[in-house]
Structure formats: structure tokens, C-alpha cells
Amino acid sequence: MIAGAGGNASLTPRWDRVDSRRLIALARKIYFQHLSESAHSLDPCGVVVKINLTEGRVVLEAPTLLPDEQFISAELISRRLRRPRNPKERVKGQGS
């Protein structure tokens, strides 16, 4: 038996191994391109991206990952990257 095979042992991205900004940007590009071009009624659960950030694929169920792949969930892809600003933290007189 191979550890992690056939399951979703580690579907959390290894942020220490990749450029997170580029990884999420590529995952978003692939995900939204799929949504705009696909007639599928099923919602993807996320995107599997190669660590070298050159290609990826949309997945409809939890994938089994190869060592050079990262899974980015649909929730993470569609979430806003910026946190809402807290008006209390602004200093009076400074712009946004």
C-alpha cells in the first residue's frame, strides 16, 4: 500500500515550496476559464497545478496528487485575497 494513494492525504498547498501569488493566479485563470467555457452543471472542487506553475487542470472531486502537484480548492480560488479594511485602523487625513 502506498501512503496517501487513493485519498486526499494532503490537499493543503505547500506554501513553502511555491510562489503563492503566482500559484493562486494560475489556479484562478484555469478555474474561471473552465467555468466560462464549460457546459458542465457540476461545480469543480478546485484546480491541480504543477509546482513549476506552467499548467494545471480543473478537478470535480478530491484528487490524488503527484509529488510535483498542488491542489488549490475552489473556496480558496474564489475568496477575496484582500482582507476588508478596518476603518478604525486608518489614520485621519491619509488616503486609502
Side-chain angles (χ1 to χ4, degrees), residues 8-54:
N8 54 1
S10 178
L11 291 183
T12 304
R14 292 289 312 263
W15 299 119
D16 59 330
R17 294 186 180 183
V18 296
D19 178 348
S20 61
R21 188 174 269 182
R22 286 184 55 214
L23 177 67
I24 292 174
L26 178 59
R28 282 181 168 202
K29 178 182 172 186
I30 293 166
Y31 182 80
F32 291 120
Q33 182 176 1
H34 171 80
L35 291 179
S36 67
E37 295 175 356
S38 177
H40 292 275
S41 61
L42 298 174
D43 287 332
C45 74
V47 176
V48 173
V49 178
K50 295 265 187 186
I51 288 178
N52 61 9
L53 302 177
T54 58

Side-chain angles (χ1 to χ4, degrees), residues 2-9 62-64:
I2 300 172
N8 54 1
T64 299

